[in-house]
Amino acid sequence: QHHHHHHHPASLEEVRTLWIGDLQFWVDESYLNSCFAHTGELVSIKIIRNKITGLPEGYGFVEFVSHAAAERILQTYNGTPMPGTEQMFRLNWASFGAGERHNDPGPDHSIFVGDLAPDVTDYLLQETFRAHYPSVRGAKVVTDPNTGRSKGYGFVKFSDETERNRAMTEMNGVYCSTRAMRISAATPKKTTGFQQQYAVAKGL
């Protein structure tokens, strides 16, 4: 009964911060503040921005006064529409939703997914894969920073390499929304950015 304590130095009961994902490019701290401030239990909000471009990475962290307060927000808001948008709130405990931290020591097992229908969101892409592979840690549909529209491709991250490799073959040609997905290896090139990564994948 004790042994799960070894994995998390802070027990879940101490965690007061929620991870929030699927954020539209225009969402900023003041918008999120307006969503949660009325609870009277909000401490701080941080949206993670790209160090180079300064553009939001699509996720952030919202801290509350207590674990119980954070839990209430998680239960109340997760999966409900964000005010003034079509997007749903996507919330998780920060300690577990933080697979997207850039200094993550674990290796990244990602795949490139192309030919996505315009309505495919990060969440839909993630759930399409998570239904088959429990080790899916997140998905990102690449959007045009000016319009916020999908560019029709994205990436899915796995923590388990075997599942990543299986997904490459098993999910190729599987439908997500209205189109069959085209899957290839994502070659993580930290510096060249998505554009070149896309060019590489297209050439395969």
Side-chain angles (χ1 to χ4, degrees), residues 78-105:
N78 196 25
T80 67
M82 297 175 77
T85 77
E86 308 281 282
Q87 197 81 33
M88 301 296 167
F89 276 107
R90 178 153 156 246
L91 298 163
N92 207 333
W93 290 108
S95 54
F96 303 102
E100 311 199 19
R101 285 197 187 138
H102 288 294
N103 53 1
D104 198 329

PDB file of all heavy atoms in Angstrom, residues 78-105:
ATOM      1  N   ASN A  78     -13.454  20.868 -16.302  1.00  0.00           N
ATOM      2  CA  ASN A  78     -12.855  20.010 -17.318  1.00  0.00           C
ATOM      3  C   ASN A  78     -13.916  19.496 -18.287  1.00  0.00           C
ATOM      4  O   ASN A  78     -14.922  18.944 -17.867  1.00  0.00           O
ATOM      5  CB  ASN A  78     -12.141  18.833 -16.645  1.00  0.00           C
ATOM      6  CG  ASN A  78     -11.187  18.138 -17.601  1.00  0.00           C
ATOM      7  OD1 ASN A  78     -10.703  18.738 -18.565  1.00  0.00           O
ATOM      8  ND2 ASN A  78     -10.922  16.874 -17.339  1.00  0.00           N
ATOM      9  N   GLY A  79     -13.694  19.716 -19.600  1.00  0.00           N
ATOM     10  CA  GLY A  79     -14.643  19.231 -20.598  1.00  0.00           C
ATOM     11  C   GLY A  79     -15.825  20.151 -20.827  1.00  0.00           C
ATOM     12  O   GLY A  79     -16.711  19.842 -21.611  1.00  0.00           O
ATOM     13  N   THR A  80     -15.876  21.304 -20.147  1.00  0.00           N
ATOM     14  CA  THR A  80     -16.950  22.270 -20.415  1.00  0.00           C
ATOM     15  C   THR A  80     -16.396  23.354 -21.348  1.00  0.00           C
ATOM     16  O   THR A  80     -15.189  23.565 -21.400  1.00  0.00           O
ATOM     17  CB  THR A  80     -17.463  22.936 -19.118  1.00  0.00           C
ATOM     18  OG1 THR A  80     -16.411  23.758 -18.575  1.00  0.00           O
ATOM     19  CG2 THR A  80     -17.875  21.900 -18.087  1.00  0.00           C
ATOM     20  N   PRO A  81     -17.266  24.045 -22.091  1.00  0.00           N
ATOM     21  CA  PRO A  81     -16.757  25.023 -23.061  1.00  0.00           C
ATOM     22  C   PRO A  81     -16.086  26.220 -22.385  1.00  0.00           C
ATOM     23  O   PRO A  81     -16.563  26.703 -21.363  1.00  0.00           O
ATOM     24  CB  PRO A  81     -18.018  25.488 -23.799  1.00  0.00           C
ATOM     25  CG  PRO A  81     -19.095  24.530 -23.429  1.00  0.00           C
ATOM     26  CD  PRO A  81     -18.722  23.915 -22.120  1.00  0.00           C
ATOM     27  N   MET A  82     -14.986  26.672 -22.966  1.00  0.00           N
ATOM     28  CA  MET A  82     -14.330  27.879 -22.479  1.00  0.00           C
ATOM     29  C   MET A  82     -15.165  29.066 -22.948  1.00  0.00           C
ATOM     30  O   MET A  82     -15.594  29.092 -24.098  1.00  0.00           O
ATOM     31  CB  MET A  82     -12.903  27.973 -23.036  1.00  0.00           C
ATOM     32  CG  MET A  82     -12.027  26.830 -22.578  1.00  0.00           C
ATOM     33  SD  MET A  82     -10.374  26.836 -23.331  1.00  0.00           S
ATOM     34  CE  MET A  82      -9.555  28.107 -22.395  1.00  0.00           C
ATOM     35  N   PRO A  83     -15.417  30.053 -22.081  1.00  0.00           N
ATOM     36  CA  PRO A  83     -16.310  31.164 -22.426  1.00  0.00           C
ATOM     37  C   PRO A  83     -15.922  31.827 -23.749  1.00  0.00           C
ATOM     38  O   PRO A  83     -14.761  32.153 -23.964  1.00  0.00           O
ATOM     39  CB  PRO A  83     -16.114  32.155 -21.270  1.00  0.00           C
ATOM     40  CG  PRO A  83     -15.579  31.342 -20.142  1.00  0.00           C
ATOM     41  CD  PRO A  83     -14.863  30.177 -20.722  1.00  0.00           C
ATOM     42  N   GLY A  84     -16.908  31.970 -24.642  1.00  0.00           N
ATOM     43  CA  GLY A  84     -16.675  32.681 -25.899  1.00  0.00           C
ATOM     44  C   GLY A  84     -15.926  31.865 -26.941  1.00  0.00           C
ATOM     45  O   GLY A  84     -15.504  32.396 -27.953  1.00  0.00           O
ATOM     46  N   THR A  85     -15.746  30.557 -26.723  1.00  0.00           N
ATOM     47  CA  THR A  85     -15.028  29.743 -27.706  1.00  0.00           C
ATOM     48  C   THR A  85     -15.768  28.439 -27.944  1.00  0.00           C
ATOM     49  O   THR A  85     -16.681  28.086 -27.213  1.00  0.00           O
ATOM     50  CB  THR A  85     -13.609  29.360 -27.210  1.00  0.00           C
ATOM     51  OG1 THR A  85     -13.740  28.296 -26.259  1.00  0.00           O
ATOM     52  CG2 THR A  85     -12.901  30.524 -26.554  1.00  0.00           C
ATOM     53  N   GLU A  86     -15.287  27.690 -28.963  1.00  0.00           N
ATOM     54  CA  GLU A  86     -15.826  26.353 -29.241  1.00  0.00           C
ATOM     55  C   GLU A  86     -15.015  25.313 -28.468  1.00  0.00           C
ATOM     56  O   GLU A  86     -15.322  24.141 -28.467  1.00  0.00           O
ATOM     57  CB  GLU A  86     -15.647  26.022 -30.730  1.00  0.00           C
ATOM     58  CG  GLU A  86     -16.181  27.067 -31.663  1.00  0.00           C
ATOM     59  CD  GLU A  86     -17.686  26.961 -31.790  1.00  0.00           C
ATOM     60  OE1 GLU A  86     -18.142  26.066 -32.521  1.00  0.00           O
ATOM     61  OE2 GLU A  86     -18.401  27.741 -31.138  1.00  0.00           O
ATOM     62  N   GLN A  87     -13.916  25.772 -27.900  1.00  0.00           N
ATOM     63  CA  GLN A  87     -12.950  24.871 -27.294  1.00  0.00           C
ATOM     64  C   GLN A  87     -13.411  24.435 -25.907  1.00  0.00           C
ATOM     65  O   GLN A  87     -14.024  25.211 -25.200  1.00  0.00           O
ATOM     66  CB  GLN A  87     -11.644  25.665 -27.169  1.00  0.00           C
ATOM     67  CG  GLN A  87     -10.420  24.833 -26.944  1.00  0.00           C
ATOM     68  CD  GLN A  87      -9.896  24.245 -28.240  1.00  0.00           C
ATOM     69  OE1 GLN A  87     -10.008  24.847 -29.280  1.00  0.00           O
ATOM     70  NE2 GLN A  87      -9.338  23.062 -28.141  1.00  0.00           N
ATOM     71  N   MET A  88     -13.106  23.219 -25.542  1.00  0.00           N
ATOM     72  CA  MET A  88     -13.415  22.750 -24.192  1.00  0.00           C
ATOM     73  C   MET A  88     -12.211  23.001 -23.275  1.00  0.00           C
ATOM     74  O   MET A  88     -11.075  22.937 -23.711  1.00  0.00           O
ATOM     75  CB  MET A  88     -13.681  21.241 -24.191  1.00  0.00           C
ATOM     76  CG  MET A  88     -14.820  20.833 -25.072  1.00  0.00           C
ATOM     77  SD  MET A  88     -16.368  21.532 -24.466  1.00  0.00           S
ATOM     78  CE  MET A  88     -17.416  21.216 -25.872  1.00  0.00           C
ATOM     79  N   PHE A  89     -12.526  23.247 -21.996  1.00  0.00           N
ATOM     80  CA  PHE A  89     -11.446  23.276 -21.017  1.00  0.00           C
ATOM     81  C   PHE A  89     -10.786  21.902 -20.969  1.00  0.00           C
ATOM     82  O   PHE A  89     -11.476  20.890 -20.895  1.00  0.00           O
ATOM     83  CB  PHE A  89     -11.993  23.571 -19.613  1.00  0.00           C
ATOM     84  CG  PHE A  89     -12.172  25.035 -19.341  1.00  0.00           C
ATOM     85  CD1 PHE A  89     -13.450  25.583 -19.298  1.00  0.00           C
ATOM     86  CD2 PHE A  89     -11.071  25.858 -19.126  1.00  0.00           C
ATOM     87  CE1 PHE A  89     -13.624  26.939 -19.038  1.00  0.00           C
ATOM     88  CE2 PHE A  89     -11.247  27.213 -18.862  1.00  0.00           C
ATOM     89  CZ  PHE A  89     -12.521  27.751 -18.824  1.00  0.00           C
ATOM     90  N   ARG A  90      -9.465  21.875 -21.019  1.00  0.00           N
ATOM     91  CA  ARG A  90      -8.768  20.611 -20.837  1.00  0.00           C
ATOM     92  C   ARG A  90      -7.822  20.772 -19.656  1.00  0.00           C
ATOM     93  O   ARG A  90      -6.823  21.465 -19.725  1.00  0.00           O
ATOM     94  CB  ARG A  90      -8.000  20.257 -22.099  1.00  0.00           C
ATOM     95  CG  ARG A  90      -7.233  18.989 -21.928  1.00  0.00           C
ATOM     96  CD  ARG A  90      -7.014  18.290 -23.242  1.00  0.00           C
ATOM     97  NE  ARG A  90      -5.847  17.461 -23.073  1.00  0.00           N
ATOM     98  CZ  ARG A  90      -4.716  17.651 -23.718  1.00  0.00           C
ATOM     99  NH1 ARG A  90      -4.602  18.605 -24.602  1.00  0.00           N
ATOM    100  NH2 ARG A  90      -3.695  16.868 -23.497  1.00  0.00           N
ATOM    101  N   LEU A  91      -8.194  20.153 -18.535  1.00  0.00           N
ATOM    102  CA  LEU A  91      -7.463  20.334 -17.285  1.00  0.00           C
ATOM    103  C   LEU A  91      -6.959  18.993 -16.774  1.00  0.00           C
ATOM    104  O   LEU A  91      -7.562  17.951 -17.034  1.00  0.00           O
ATOM    105  CB  LEU A  91      -8.380  20.953 -16.216  1.00  0.00           C
ATOM    106  CG  LEU A  91      -8.939  22.349 -16.538  1.00  0.00           C
ATOM    107  CD1 LEU A  91     -10.126  22.659 -15.653  1.00  0.00           C
ATOM    108  CD2 LEU A  91      -7.855  23.404 -16.371  1.00  0.00           C
ATOM    109  N   ASN A  92      -5.859  19.027 -16.048  1.00  0.00           N
ATOM    110  CA  ASN A  92      -5.328  17.822 -15.437  1.00  0.00           C
ATOM    111  C   ASN A  92      -4.494  18.251 -14.234  1.00  0.00           C
ATOM    112  O   ASN A  92      -4.170  19.425 -14.107  1.00  0.00           O
ATOM    113  CB  ASN A  92      -4.457  17.063 -16.437  1.00  0.00           C
ATOM    114  CG  ASN A  92      -4.424  15.573 -16.136  1.00  0.00           C
ATOM    115  OD1 ASN A  92      -4.595  15.149 -14.998  1.00  0.00           O
ATOM    116  ND2 ASN A  92      -4.224  14.780 -17.166  1.00  0.00           N
ATOM    117  N   TRP A  93      -4.132  17.319 -13.379  1.00  0.00           N
ATOM    118  CA  TRP A  93      -3.221  17.659 -12.293  1.00  0.00           C
ATOM    119  C   TRP A  93      -1.864  17.984 -12.894  1.00  0.00           C
ATOM    120  O   TRP A  93      -1.373  17.265 -13.749  1.00  0.00           O
ATOM    121  CB  TRP A  93      -3.100  16.517 -11.296  1.00  0.00           C
ATOM    122  CG  TRP A  93      -4.362  16.351 -10.510  1.00  0.00           C
ATOM    123  CD1 TRP A  93      -5.265  15.349 -10.620  1.00  0.00           C
ATOM    124  CD2 TRP A  93      -4.865  17.266  -9.529  1.00  0.00           C
ATOM    125  NE1 TRP A  93      -6.311  15.583  -9.756  1.00  0.00           N
ATOM    126  CE2 TRP A  93      -6.096  16.740  -9.077  1.00  0.00           C
ATOM    127  CE3 TRP A  93      -4.395  18.473  -8.984  1.00  0.00           C
ATOM    128  CZ2 TRP A  93      -6.864  17.381  -8.105  1.00  0.00           C
ATOM    129  CZ3 TRP A  93      -5.164  19.107  -8.024  1.00  0.00           C
ATOM    130  CH2 TRP A  93      -6.385  18.562  -7.586  1.00  0.00           C
ATOM    131  N   ALA A  94      -1.255  19.066 -12.436  1.00  0.00           N
ATOM    132  CA  ALA A  94       0.004  19.507 -13.036  1.00  0.00           C
ATOM    133  C   ALA A  94       1.079  18.438 -12.943  1.00  0.00           C
ATOM    134  O   ALA A  94       1.860  18.257 -13.866  1.00  0.00           O
ATOM    135  CB  ALA A  94       0.486  20.788 -12.371  1.00  0.00           C
ATOM    136  N   SER A  95       1.112  17.697 -11.840  1.00  0.00           N
ATOM    137  CA  SER A  95       2.198  16.728 -11.684  1.00  0.00           C
ATOM    138  C   SER A  95       2.079  15.602 -12.695  1.00  0.00           C
ATOM    139  O   SER A  95       3.055  14.947 -13.022  1.00  0.00           O
ATOM    140  CB  SER A  95       2.189  16.144 -10.275  1.00  0.00           C
ATOM    141  OG  SER A  95       0.909  15.621 -10.007  1.00  0.00           O
ATOM    142  N   PHE A  96       0.850  15.367 -13.203  1.00  0.00           N
ATOM    143  CA  PHE A  96       0.674  14.265 -14.136  1.00  0.00           C
ATOM    144  C   PHE A  96       0.502  14.757 -15.566  1.00  0.00           C
ATOM    145  O   PHE A  96       0.780  14.051 -16.500  1.00  0.00           O
ATOM    146  CB  PHE A  96      -0.527  13.420 -13.714  1.00  0.00           C
ATOM    147  CG  PHE A  96      -0.376  12.912 -12.316  1.00  0.00           C
ATOM    148  CD1 PHE A  96      -1.053  13.499 -11.270  1.00  0.00           C
ATOM    149  CD2 PHE A  96       0.513  11.891 -12.042  1.00  0.00           C
ATOM    150  CE1 PHE A  96      -0.873  13.061  -9.971  1.00  0.00           C
ATOM    151  CE2 PHE A  96       0.696  11.451 -10.741  1.00  0.00           C
ATOM    152  CZ  PHE A  96       0.001  12.026  -9.705  1.00  0.00           C
ATOM    153  N   GLY A  97       0.032  15.981 -15.736  1.00  0.00           N
ATOM    154  CA  GLY A  97      -0.187  16.498 -17.088  1.00  0.00           C
ATOM    155  C   GLY A  97       1.081  17.102 -17.640  1.00  0.00           C
ATOM    156  O   GLY A  97       1.104  17.600 -18.742  1.00  0.00           O
ATOM    157  N   ALA A  98       2.156  17.048 -16.864  1.00  0.00           N
ATOM    158  CA  ALA A  98       3.332  17.818 -17.245  1.00  0.00           C
ATOM    159  C   ALA A  98       4.283  17.046 -18.141  1.00  0.00           C
ATOM    160  O   ALA A  98       5.473  17.267 -18.127  1.00  0.00           O
ATOM    161  CB  ALA A  98       4.058  18.300 -15.998  1.00  0.00           C
ATOM    162  N   GLY A  99       3.758  16.106 -18.927  1.00  0.00           N
ATOM    163  CA  GLY A  99       4.615  15.397 -19.863  1.00  0.00           C
ATOM    164  C   GLY A  99       5.152  16.336 -20.918  1.00  0.00           C
ATOM    165  O   GLY A  99       6.014  15.976 -21.695  1.00  0.00           O
ATOM    166  N   GLU A 100       4.635  17.564 -20.978  1.00  0.00           N
ATOM    167  CA  GLU A 100       5.038  18.476 -22.037  1.00  0.00           C
ATOM    168  C   GLU A 100       6.146  19.420 -21.601  1.00  0.00           C
ATOM    169  O   GLU A 100       6.482  20.329 -22.305  1.00  0.00           O
ATOM    170  CB  GLU A 100       3.832  19.292 -22.491  1.00  0.00           C
ATOM    171  CG  GLU A 100       2.671  18.369 -22.746  1.00  0.00           C
ATOM    172  CD  GLU A 100       1.588  18.960 -23.610  1.00  0.00           C
ATOM    173  OE1 GLU A 100       1.836  19.929 -24.322  1.00  0.00           O
ATOM    174  OE2 GLU A 100       0.487  18.441 -23.567  1.00  0.00           O
ATOM    175  N   ARG A 101       6.664  19.228 -20.407  1.00  0.00           N
ATOM    176  CA  ARG A 101       7.756  20.108 -19.983  1.00  0.00           C
ATOM    177  C   ARG A 101       8.953  19.888 -20.873  1.00  0.00           C
ATOM    178  O   ARG A 101       9.323  18.764 -21.142  1.00  0.00           O
ATOM    179  CB  ARG A 101       8.138  19.793 -18.544  1.00  0.00           C
ATOM    180  CG  ARG A 101       7.099  20.344 -17.600  1.00  0.00           C
ATOM    181  CD  ARG A 101       7.640  20.424 -16.198  1.00  0.00           C
ATOM    182  NE  ARG A 101       6.549  20.793 -15.318  1.00  0.00           N
ATOM    183  CZ  ARG A 101       6.347  20.245 -14.140  1.00  0.00           C
ATOM    184  NH1 ARG A 101       7.162  19.319 -13.713  1.00  0.00           N
ATOM    185  NH2 ARG A 101       5.339  20.637 -13.397  1.00  0.00           N
ATOM    186  N   HIS A 102       9.588  20.975 -21.278  1.00  0.00           N
ATOM    187  CA  HIS A 102      10.643  20.827 -22.274  1.00  0.00           C
ATOM    188  C   HIS A 102      11.913  20.215 -21.723  1.00  0.00           C
ATOM    189  O   HIS A 102      12.691  19.640 -22.444  1.00  0.00           O
ATOM    190  CB  HIS A 102      10.946  22.178 -22.914  1.00  0.00           C
ATOM    191  CG  HIS A 102       9.836  22.580 -23.825  1.00  0.00           C
ATOM    192  ND1 HIS A 102       9.554  21.882 -24.961  1.00  0.00           N
ATOM    193  CD2 HIS A 102       8.930  23.556 -23.745  1.00  0.00           C
ATOM    194  CE1 HIS A 102       8.500  22.433 -25.548  1.00  0.00           C
ATOM    195  NE2 HIS A 102       8.111  23.449 -24.824  1.00  0.00           N
ATOM    196  N   ASN A 103      12.116  20.342 -20.422  1.00  0.00           N
ATOM    197  CA  ASN A 103      13.333  19.775 -19.863  1.00  0.00           C
ATOM    198  C   ASN A 103      13.067  18.359 -19.372  1.00  0.00           C
ATOM    199  O   ASN A 103      13.764  17.847 -18.517  1.00  0.00           O
ATOM    200  CB  ASN A 103      13.842  20.636 -18.714  1.00  0.00           C
ATOM    201  CG  ASN A 103      12.747  20.864 -17.682  1.00  0.00           C
ATOM    202  OD1 ASN A 103      11.633  20.356 -17.845  1.00  0.00           O
ATOM    203  ND2 ASN A 103      13.048  21.607 -16.639  1.00  0.00           N
ATOM    204  N   ASP A 104      12.029  17.747 -19.905  1.00  0.00           N
ATOM    205  CA  ASP A 104      11.666  16.396 -19.517  1.00  0.00           C
ATOM    206  C   ASP A 104      12.849  15.458 -19.769  1.00  0.00           C
ATOM    207  O   ASP A 104      13.313  15.350 -20.888  1.00  0.00           O
ATOM    208  CB  ASP A 104      10.482  15.953 -20.374  1.00  0.00           C
ATOM    209  CG  ASP A 104       9.781  14.768 -19.755  1.00  0.00           C
ATOM    210  OD1 ASP A 104      10.443  13.964 -19.082  1.00  0.00           O
ATOM    211  OD2 ASP A 104       8.580  14.637 -19.960  1.00  0.00           O
ATOM    212  N   PRO A 105      13.341  14.788 -18.708  1.00  0.00           N
ATOM    213  CA  PRO A 105      14.508  13.933 -18.897  1.00  0.00           C
ATOM    214  C   PRO A 105      14.192  12.702 -19.749  1.00  0.00           C
ATOM    215  O   PRO A 105      15.068  12.172 -20.404  1.00  0.00           O
ATOM    216  CB  PRO A 105      14.870  13.518 -17.464  1.00  0.00           C
ATOM    217  CG  PRO A 105      13.601  13.665 -16.691  1.00  0.00           C
ATOM    218  CD  PRO A 105      12.819  14.763 -17.342  1.00  0.00           C
TER     219      PRO A 105
END
